[in-house]
Amino acid sequence: MVHSIIHWIQEFRFPRRIGCCLLLHLNSTRSSLVSFNVCKRDEMKRVDFFFKLLLGQSCHFVLARTSFHTPVRGGEDAFLVSGYNGGVIAVADGVSGWAEQNVDPSIFSRELMANASYLVEDEEVNYDPQILIQKARAATSSIGSATVIVAMLERNGILKIANIGDCGLRIIRKGQIIFSSSPQEHYFDCPFQLSSEAAGQTYLDAMVSSVELMEGDTIVMGSDGLYDNVFDHEIVSTMDIFTDVAEAAKALADLAHIHSRDSNFDSPYSMEARAKGIDVPLWKKILGMKLTGGKLDDITVIVGQVVSSGETLIS
């Protein structure tokens, strides 16, 4: 049985943009979770790992405006949770710059995730996240582009990951991050993108990884709206506070949402901008000022934890 809770909050906001390339950064936050369960099969003398049947969502949808007061809707993120085989999770972040060409940026990412969901069981995919990206992209007819990350858990405990762009994944074990996906970008704030156009990246550009999971591991997957606004140590400390993965996912999305609106917060995004030479004017530097602030963006968070088959995370 799947349990879900969705909360929608609408408000007006004026985005603050730092060094955008093609991207028009809008605002919404979305948190979601899937719990990972461990199923022990004594007759097979091994431990099977799989995603299992508990899903909770807590969403903030924000109606945003550009600095020109042109109303634009956020919500370009899309995500996938599947219980097939060991389980599959994915996040796609539609590139908002398409709105400037009167193209809804959310359609491409949503169709991409819908196709991925349909193709998860395809024999040609053979439970390979890179091939799943390839086939989902080939089946997508919408105009647009998106960053995307896919993770597929085998029943032997191996998590296979394919990533194009700056969506990310962290694996936490006993209070330490043991794996971090690496973002791909052409230059600051212009990530690799799976695109409807020939100029974009393809599945061959995906960064592919595999990690052997253990019982008790926590997986945090999200769009760049999470990792641009929340430091890794904040993710770890948040996971230490919450034993319920639903509460943890919501707390991380809420934290990213708060940081994204704080012009004084020295965020991962502003720190990277300064490192790439993007900062306040010289006269402000002379006065001791520096570029700070979170990144207004869509935020999607998926949190999962590996538990024994006899335990439940949500009543």
Side-chain angles (χ1 to χ4, degrees):
M1 180 178 296
V2 176
H3 303 272
S4 63
I5 303 173
I6 302 177
H7 302 289
W8 297 99
I9 300 174
Q10 292 191 331
E11 59 188 74
F12 288 97
R13 186 178 305 169
F14 295 89
R16 177 175 180 271
R17 297 190 289 165
I18 305 175
C20 299
C21 56
L22 300 175
L23 306 183
L24 172 63
H25 299 301
L26 305 179
N27 319 283
S28 73
T29 64
R30 172 179 298 168
S31 70
S32 60
L33 66 98
V34 58
S35 63
F36 298 52
N37 293 283
V38 182
C39 179
K40 296 183 179 180
R41 296 189 175 183
D42 295 334
E43 71 278 11
M44 300 185 71
K45 303 301 182 183
R46 64 186 177 89
V47 176
D48 283 352
F49 292 76
F50 56 95
F51 302 137
K52 187 75 172 180
L53 296 188
L54 293 178
L55 174 64
Q57 303 171 18
S58 176
C59 307
H60 302 280
F61 184 83
V62 181
L63 182 64
R65 292 176 178 266
T66 69
S67 57
F68 298 100
H69 304 336
T70 304
V72 185
R73 297 189 73 83
E76 288 82 17
D77 284 3
F79 68 94
L80 158 68
V81 175
S82 170
Y84 175 68
N85 198 1
V88 182
I89 56 175
V91 172
D93 182 359
V95 176
S96 303
W98 285 96
E100 298 174 357
Q101 301 184 36
N102 295 319
V103 174
D104 185 343
S106 68
I107 295 177
F108 183 88
S109 57
R110 291 175 183 176
E111 185 182 357
L112 183 69
M113 288 292 94
N115 288 330
S117 178
Y118 177 76
L119 291 164
V120 160
E121 301 182 34
D122 190 281
E123 290 184 0
E124 294 182 3
V125 170
N126 195 28
Y127 218 62
D128 185 327
Q130 191 174 23
I131 302 303
L132 180 60
I133 290 175
Q134 176 196 18
K135 293 184 72 66
R137 162 62 190 88
T140 300
S141 59
S142 301
I143 296 175
S145 58
T147 62
V148 60
I149 186 168
V150 179
M152 308 181 82
L153 183 63
E154 295 183 330
R155 290 180 178 270
N156 60 5
I158 301 298
L159 185 69
K160 298 188 292 188
I161 306 154
N163 181 43
I164 298 175
D166 56 4
C167 292
L169 183 144
R170 305 288 187 269
I171 298 176
I172 302 170
R173 179 176 297 163
K174 297 180 180 179
Q176 300 290 328
I177 292 178
I178 64 163
F179 174 83
S180 298
S181 61
S182 299
Q184 301 168 300
E185 60 181 13
H186 299 286
Y187 50 87
F188 176 68
D189 211 21
C190 189
F192 281 23
Q193 304 162 20
L194 197 66
S195 176
S196 61
E197 309 305 306
Q201 279 65 58
T202 73
Y203 74 101
L204 294 173
D205 297 300
M207 184 173 294
V208 179
S209 309
S210 62
V211 184
E212 185 174 357
L213 298 181
M214 297 175 57
E215 184 175 351
D217 288 350
T218 298
I219 292 83
V220 179
M221 177 184 282
S223 59
D224 64 321
L226 170 65
Y227 297 107
D228 282 340
N229 289 298
V230 179
F231 289 98
D232 281 354
H233 69 84
E234 294 179 298
I235 293 176
V236 172
S237 61
T238 299
M239 299 312 304
D240 287 341
I241 294 172
F242 295 96
T243 57
D244 185 294
V245 289
E247 294 179 356
K250 184 178 187 303
L252 286 174
D254 288 346
L255 181 62
H257 174 72
I258 291 169
H259 284 342
S260 72
R261 295 170 57 89
D262 186 350
S263 61
N264 295 315
F265 177 62
D266 199 6
S267 66
Y269 185 74
S270 60
M271 291 178 66
E272 183 183 359
R274 295 198 307 271
K276 298 295 177 61
I278 302 171
D279 208 337
V280 296
L282 179 60
W283 68 269
K284 289 188 175 182
K285 288 186 179 181
I286 295 174
L287 295 176
M289 302 173 67
K290 64 180 180 181
L291 184 68
T292 59
K295 176 188 176 185
L296 292 161
D297 200 355
D298 294 327
I299 300 164
T300 300
V301 183
I302 301 175
V303 174
Q305 187 176 33
V306 180
V307 298
S308 67
S309 59
E311 296 178 12
T312 57
L313 295 180
I314 307 174
S315 61

